[in-house]
Amino acid sequence: MDSGQLWEKYCGFYRKSFEEQIEYNEKLLNRHLRSWMDTYTGKDLCRGKVVKGIGDLPITEYGDYKILGRVTEAIEHCEKKFLVKENETLHDYYMRIFGQHVRPLCEGYVPDEPYFCAKTTGTTGKPKYFVHGKGFYETFISSSMALVLIAFSKDWGDNVLDDRVNALNLIAPPPYISGWALKYWSNFLKFIPPIEVADRIRDMGKKFYMALKMIEDGNRIHMAGGSGSLLYM
C-alpha cells in the first residue's frame, strides 16, 4: 500500500466537513446502541427501561458487568497455565489464549465478534480486563494510523511511510490497550527496541536504557510515542 492509499484509507474521512463527520458518527452510535441493546449485557443493565438514545442508559461501574469478572479470572488462570512460546510476541500470546479459552465466555455479551481483551493499569484498584469486539479493534487501528500520518506530516499526503521509519518503542505492550496496535504498525515502522525484544523487558528503565544504546549505535529516531514522563527522561 503506497502513501496515497494509506492517506485515503485512514485519513480520507477527515476531508468531510465537521457537520458531515458528526452526522456520520451519530448514525454509527445509534446503530451500535441498537446492537448493544440486543446483547446479554444490554438486556441485563437496561431491564424494564426504555432506551431511545445514549442519554437513557443507566450509569454503571465495573462491578455491574459480571461477565468481565469471569473473563479476568479466565485470563489470569491462562496466564498461569500457559507460557509464552519462544519467539511469540505478547500480541500473539494473548490472542492465542483469548481465542482458545476466553472468547466462548464473551459470546453474546458484546455487539460484535469478541476479538481481544485489554487490561487496565489498576489505577482505581486491582487491574481488570475489558472485552473488545473486532469492530473496535479495526476502528482503533484506523484512528491510530490516522494519528501517525497526520502528526508525522508537514502537509496532507506527505510520503512519511514510504521508507520504513524508526519509532521509539516505550509503549506498554499487550495486554494493555496501548500495545494492541504495535503489531499492525510494525508493517510500516521499525521499532526501537524491536517488539519481540521489548516484550521480554518488564522494567521500563531497562527498556529505556536499551533504546538509548540503540540510538547511540546509530539508529536515528524519527517518531516517538509513550507517556510524557518517559519522553521527558
Side-chain angles (χ1 to χ4, degrees):
M1 191 180 301
D2 62 29
S3 184
Q5 292 172 320
L6 282 173
W7 274 89
E8 188 58 38
K9 180 175 181 178
Y10 296 114
C11 303
F13 174 76
Y14 301 106
R15 292 182 183 275
K16 297 179 181 292
S17 68
F18 185 70
E19 290 74 18
E20 289 176 312
Q21 293 182 37
I22 291 295
E23 181 182 2
Y24 176 79
N25 281 303
E26 285 180 343
K27 289 180 180 178
L28 284 184
L29 175 62
N30 290 329
R31 186 192 311 163
H32 184 79
L33 179 60
R34 290 194 299 271
S35 298
W36 181 81
M37 288 296 298
D38 288 332
T39 65
Y40 297 137
T41 308
K43 291 175 181 177
D44 179 53
L45 295 177
C46 301
R47 197 176 310 162
K49 187 176 181 67
V50 177
V51 176
K52 295 182 179 180
I54 196 80
D56 298 322
L57 294 176
I59 297 176
T60 60
E61 56 185 20
Y62 189 87
D64 295 319
Y65 300 84
K66 307 301 181 186
I67 183 62
L68 296 183
R70 298 199 293 273
V71 165
T72 297
E73 290 175 359
I75 293 179
E76 290 176 346
H77 171 75
C78 288
E79 288 175 326
K80 295 175 182 177
K81 185 175 181 180
F82 306 105
L83 300 178
V84 179
K85 297 179 181 179
E86 186 177 359
N87 299 322
E88 184 178 38
T89 64
L90 289 177
H91 175 283
D92 292 345
Y93 169 71
Y94 281 101
M95 287 297 281
R96 173 166 61 88
I97 64 174
F98 178 77
Q100 295 178 4
H101 306 283
V102 182
R103 180 178 286 121
L105 293 175
C106 311
E107 296 289 349
Y109 283 92
V110 293
D112 194 6
E113 174 191 347
Y115 195 66
F116 76 102
C117 282
K119 188 179 184 179
T120 70
T121 58
T123 304
T124 59
K126 182 182 177 181
K128 314 169 188 70
Y129 280 91
F130 283 86
V131 180
H132 294 290
K134 189 170 185 179
F136 171 87
Y137 178 77
E138 292 171 348
T139 300
F140 177 52
I141 292 296
S142 179
S143 299
S144 61
M145 282 298 296
L147 176 64
V148 168
L149 288 168
I150 293 174
F152 196 48
S153 303
K154 292 183 179 179
D155 295 301
W156 185 274
D158 275 355
N159 299 327
V160 295
L161 299 180
D162 278 0
D163 295 317
R164 183 171 291 194
V165 298
N166 291 344
L168 185 62
N169 180 13
L170 296 178
I171 298 172
Y176 300 102
I177 187 65
S178 57
W180 279 105
L182 291 180
K183 184 171 183 179
Y184 185 81
W185 287 349
S186 66
N187 293 308
F188 311 99
L189 308 173
K190 177 185 176 183
F191 284 108
I192 306 295
I195 293 173
E196 57 273 14
V197 174
D199 276 358
R200 265 59 178 181
I201 306 173
R202 295 306 177 105
D203 186 314
M204 187 58 75
K206 291 181 179 179
K207 186 184 295 188
F208 194 76
Y209 178 76
M210 177 175 283
L212 289 177
K213 288 292 293 179
M214 294 183 72
I215 293 171
E216 287 180 353
D217 290 339
N219 291 283
R220 181 183 178 188
I221 299 297
H222 302 98
M223 62 181 298
S227 64
S229 58
L230 285 170
L231 297 178
Y232 178 76
M233 291 171 60

